[in-house]
Amino acid sequence: MKIRTKSFIAVGAVSLLALSGCASAETATVSNGDNANMSLAVFNGWDEGIAVSELWKAILDEKGYNVELEYAAEAPVYSGLSTGDYDLSMDIWLPDTHASYLEEYGDDIVDLGAWNTESKLTVAVNADAPIDSLAELADNADLFSNRIVGIEPGSGLNQAMEERVIPTYGLDGMDNVTSSTAGMLSELTNATDNGDNIVVTLWEPHWAYGAFPIKNLEDPEGTLENIESIHSYGSTEFEADFPQAAEWINNFEMDLDTLYSLEEEMFVNYDGQDYAPIVAQWIEDNQEYVDGLTS
């Protein structure tokens, strides 16, 4: 973990005491010997990462850590991990989605293990749409207003769409709209409310599959066929600074059903941003599973 310091001018005993107090705060530890202060970076709009990060913040805070969730886009998170400005991130998708980031930063960050191995990128439509396959989309583009509603333009999912899905299925005539995950979900909500057809880029796991009547389009050419694993990655100093937490996170596993139940409580059944009480209730309802994460 990179130590963040301030400049001090030590003048007399008061300044010396202030400097001593700051140093003590920076090197605070919990009872197991780990550093107490942890920076956990979370990708904006990636709800599975938000869910597990909020869960682990609650778990670690209860054990005496001080975990700060810091939200950013993918590139700043990877850069921050590589320099030690962030200690941990729990939403690294391999082998394809974040391949370019791992190629650039992989030598300067540490893989702490996969916690889910059932994930995949998808293209979804409303459940009653008149097509079932990406191979049918070009011929029926007008039924979807000639639009594919995507997420962030710099995301691995959008890169896969532009480099593989769109050229393979002849979708160049459709407008690939990219803005944000929140923007995509807003359009999906509006289309659902209005009974309109819509094409969106998505991924599993995502709570949208439980909240909206949608289906994945078949991908006969295998442009998105790889099953992805979601990993936790730390800075190069993470295992030294947080040996016990690193062991817990290395052993962390969460299947899709368990993740969906957490996401449903946070993002479907609750309309707000203060997730702490929602996560606390989910932990209480799933106490045996949660206790096993640090046993």
Side-chain angles (χ1 to χ4, degrees), residues 4 21 49 160 175 215 218 222 248 291:
R4 303 166 185 78
D175 186 10
K215 63 183 178 181
E218 297 171 3
W248 290 332
D291 288 345

Side-chain angles (χ1 to χ4, degrees), residues 140-153:
N140 294 277
D142 59 322
L143 300 178
F144 299 90
S145 302
N146 288 292
R147 298 170 79 244
I148 300 170
V149 183
I151 58 170
E152 288 75 9

Side-chain angles (χ1 to χ4, degrees), residues 29-235:
T29 61
V30 293
S31 59
N32 61 27
D34 282 12
N35 284 1
N37 298 318
M38 182 187 299
S39 171
L40 204 172
V42 188
F43 297 142
N44 291 322
W46 291 60
D47 289 331
E48 73 286 343
I50 295 171
V52 298
S53 298
E54 288 279 359
L55 174 61
W56 275 97
K57 172 177 170 55
I59 291 170
L60 293 172
D61 282 355
E62 194 276 331
K63 292 186 175 296
Y65 296 79
N66 175 35
V67 178
E68 291 292 333
L69 300 186
E70 302 197 39
Y71 285 80
E74 293 97 302
V77 168
Y78 278 97
S79 176
L81 282 175
S82 72
T83 58
D85 289 320
Y86 298 135
D87 297 311
L88 175 68
S89 187
M90 305 189 71
D91 205 14
I92 312 303
W93 284 56
L94 300 174
D96 286 343
T97 305
H98 290 161
S100 61
Y101 293 113
L102 268 297
E103 182 176 349
E104 181 174 359
Y105 296 107
D107 291 340
D108 300 312
I109 56 181
V110 176
D111 188 356
L112 300 171
W115 56 267
N116 181 277
T117 58
E118 308 168 88
S119 306
K120 60 182 179 181
L121 304 180
T122 61
V123 177
V125 296
N126 45 294
D128 59 353
I131 65 171
D132 297 301
S133 171
L134 281 164
E136 303 174 88
L137 183 54
D139 290 339
N140 294 277
D142 59 322
L143 300 178
F144 299 90
S145 302
N146 288 292
R147 298 170 79 244
I148 300 170
V149 183
I151 58 170
E152 288 75 9
S155 66
L157 175 52
N158 187 57
Q159 182 180 2
M161 290 297 295
E162 292 184 341
E163 294 181 358
R164 300 199 299 271
V165 178
I166 290 173
T168 297
Y169 292 105
L171 305 176
D172 307 81
M174 298 186 73
D175 186 10
N176 182 35
V177 180
T178 58
S179 58
S180 66
T181 300
M184 177 272 292
L185 291 169
S186 177
E187 292 214 28
L188 179 56
T189 299
N190 291 335
T192 301
D193 291 343
N194 295 327
D196 296 333
N197 292 322
I198 189 170
V199 184
V200 299
T201 64
L202 256 173
W203 61 93
E204 294 187 68
H206 197 286
W207 57 266
Y209 286 95
F212 299 99
I214 55 178
K215 63 183 178 181
N216 289 337
L217 290 180
E218 297 171 3
D219 180 17
E221 299 300 323
T223 57
L224 298 172
E225 67 180 358
N226 282 347
I227 300 296
E228 299 266 281
S229 297
I230 312 178
H231 292 239
S232 299
Y233 265 74
S235 69

